[in-house]
Amino acid sequence: MDNWVLMGPKTLNNQPQGELSLSPEQVKIKVTYVLLSNFDALCYAGELPVAYPKTVGRFAVGIVTDCGEKVYGVEKGSRVYIKGARPCGKCLHCKRGDTNNCEHIQIAGIDFDGFLRDFVVCDYRRVAVLPDDVDYLHGLCIEHVAFAENIYDQLHLSAGSKVAIVGGNALAFILAQVAMYHKLVPVVIDDSPVAVEKLKKAGVYYSILNDDDLDSNIAEATSGLNCDASVYISCSKINPDVASRVLARDKTLVLEGMASMKFKLDSIPLFRHNTRVITVTDGFGYTESAINMILHGAIDLNMFEKQILTEYNPSALFNDMLSDVSHGLKMTIIKLIF
Ligand SMILES: [Zn+2]
């Protein structure tokens, strides 16, 4: 029986769950797979503001084993994605029933219990049924795709626009694929030659090393015009000024914070170039759109090495991820057997 609870920085205990009761609008889910990511590793390390104690695990899928009597569209046996971002239920928007405009989106593993445990009981609106053609492994990437959709939606770019993505981790790769699906041209910049090579092989043509030739390589990729938007992956540890430097005037810089880390950004070039800066921290509200994209084959997970573990020590796995939190094109997946 598993329920991995973070009690404080680097203090993770397995505390079996007690009996779970079910209210009329709730479903009970047997968690089948959990994707461990650098977000969870940063929670484990105490780098993110976890309201201790919290069960770890932001990305999970499972199968519904029980339903309350007022549950609609989800039934016993449904394969589901468990949403890792939820409305708070307490702000004025939530109380008015307008949860899409919630003021305080809650994130699994920080604000409410995450999913590295045998069972989850939650409101049926906090899960999404997986269509037959979306397998569990793709289901684990729904929030990454939703995140990318959220960013795309805010950029208002026309086909052919060049989008710099500064950082070469799994989210960067999914962002690049979502960009290509929307007929944008991703330009991924990273400091790892291995990641750049992998991205190129996976079809991201403009994958550029962050070195002395960066400016000339960007000029070549953009016919000298610089990029139409730029997304800075905040856990990349690359100097964020790179993300503003590759932008043309009057464009948007997105600070991506799925696994947010502190950094300093020079404001002077932003003012000089009249740059609009926005932040994106979750894929809230984009779950259905992400599932639809996956269903249409927009996301190829083949470039990721995968390890699927049934016996595991989460602390050891997180410590391993923390040794290079910026990259990690390997998917570490826990299969929960019951
Ligand atoms: Zn709210």
Side-chain angles (χ1 to χ4, degrees), residues 151-195:
I151 291 174
Y152 169 76
D153 219 21
Q154 301 202 38
L155 290 176
H156 308 291
L157 293 173
S158 50
S161 299
K162 310 285 196 307
V163 182
I165 298 167
V166 180
N169 64 2
L171 180 63
F173 179 67
I174 288 177
L175 259 169
Q177 293 197 70
V178 169
M180 289 191 281
Y181 180 83
H182 290 295
K183 300 187 169 54
L184 305 178
V185 181
V187 180
V188 180
I189 301 163
D190 194 43
D191 51 9
S192 155
V194 178

Side-chain angles (χ1 to χ4, degrees), residues 87-91 94 102-104:
C88 72
K90 292 176 184 161
C91 72
C94 282
C102 174
E103 288 282 325
H104 308 289

Side-chain angles (χ1 to χ4, degrees), residues 19-74:
E19 203 50 47
L20 296 166
S21 58
L22 201 65
S23 70
E25 296 192 345
Q26 285 185 321
V27 287
K28 184 176 181 183
I29 304 141
K30 166 72 191 88
V31 180
T32 48
Y33 293 91
V34 178
L35 171 68
L36 297 188
S37 72
N38 54 3
F39 167 82
D40 304 299
L42 290 172
C43 287
Y44 169 74
E47 301 273 342
L48 294 174
V50 177
Y52 304 109
K54 284 288 169 287
T55 301
V56 295
R58 176 168 173 176
F59 312 105
V61 289
I63 186 158
V64 173
T65 58
D66 210 351
C67 292
E69 62 266 31
K70 288 187 177 170
V71 166
Y72 306 101
V74 184

Side-chain angles (χ1 to χ4, degrees), residues 143-305:
E143 194 175 350
H144 290 71
V145 179
F147 209 103
E149 279 289 272
N150 188 357
I151 291 174
Y152 169 76
D153 219 21
Q154 301 202 38
L155 290 176
H156 308 291
L157 293 173
S158 50
S161 299
K162 310 285 196 307
V163 182
I165 298 167
V166 180
N169 64 2
L171 180 63
F173 179 67
I174 288 177
L175 259 169
Q177 293 197 70
V178 169
M180 289 191 281
Y181 180 83
H182 290 295
K183 300 187 169 54
L184 305 178
V185 181
V187 180
V188 180
I189 301 163
D190 194 43
D191 51 9
S192 155
V194 178
V196 165
E197 221 31 62
K198 270 193 171 183
L199 285 157
K200 269 191 186 166
K201 274 198 186 137
V204 184
Y205 182 76
Y206 294 116
S207 297
I208 298 174
L209 204 56
N210 178 29
D211 60 12
D212 293 343
D213 298 328
L214 177 66
D215 290 336
S216 61
N217 284 329
I218 290 289
E220 194 184 312
T222 62
S223 312
L225 296 171
N226 270 346
C227 297
D228 302 295
S230 178
V231 181
Y232 178 64
I233 307 285
S234 67
C235 65
S236 70
K237 295 188 180 172
I238 295 172
N239 184 340
D241 299 338
V242 167
S244 63
R245 193 171 97 206
V246 299
L247 275 179
R249 189 178 167 77
D250 293 327
K251 303 298 184 189
T252 302
L253 167 61
V254 180
L255 304 176
E256 175 285 324
M258 178 178 269
S260 49
M261 290 184 81
K262 284 180 191 165
F263 56 85
K264 284 184 177 161
L265 181 63
D266 185 356
S267 59
I268 301 299
L270 302 175
F271 288 123
R272 297 285 298 168
H273 286 101
N274 211 22
T275 303
R276 188 169 76 109
V277 180
I278 60 172
T279 60
V280 175
T281 321
D282 53 66
F284 182 72
Y286 288 87
T287 303
E288 300 307 326
S289 143
I291 291 173
N292 193 44
M293 290 199 71
I294 291 168
L295 207 49
H296 285 87
I299 306 300
D300 175 13
L301 298 180
N302 289 332
M303 82 166 289
F304 299 115
E305 279 174 54

Side-chain angles (χ1 to χ4, degrees), residues 6 34 37 39-40 43 48-51 54-60 81-87 105-117 120 126 143 258 281-282:
L6 197 56
V34 178
S37 72
F39 167 82
D40 304 299
C43 287
L48 294 174
V50 177
K54 284 288 169 287
T55 301
V56 295
R58 176 168 173 176
F59 312 105
Y81 159 70
I82 312 167
K83 297 177 185 176
R86 296 178 180 171
I105 300 297
Q106 308 281 292
I107 304 289
I110 290 187
D111 304 304
F112 66 94
D113 279 324
F115 310 128
L116 191 55
R117 49 181 159 142
V120 170
R126 306 288 92 84
E143 194 175 350
M258 178 178 269
T281 321
D282 53 66

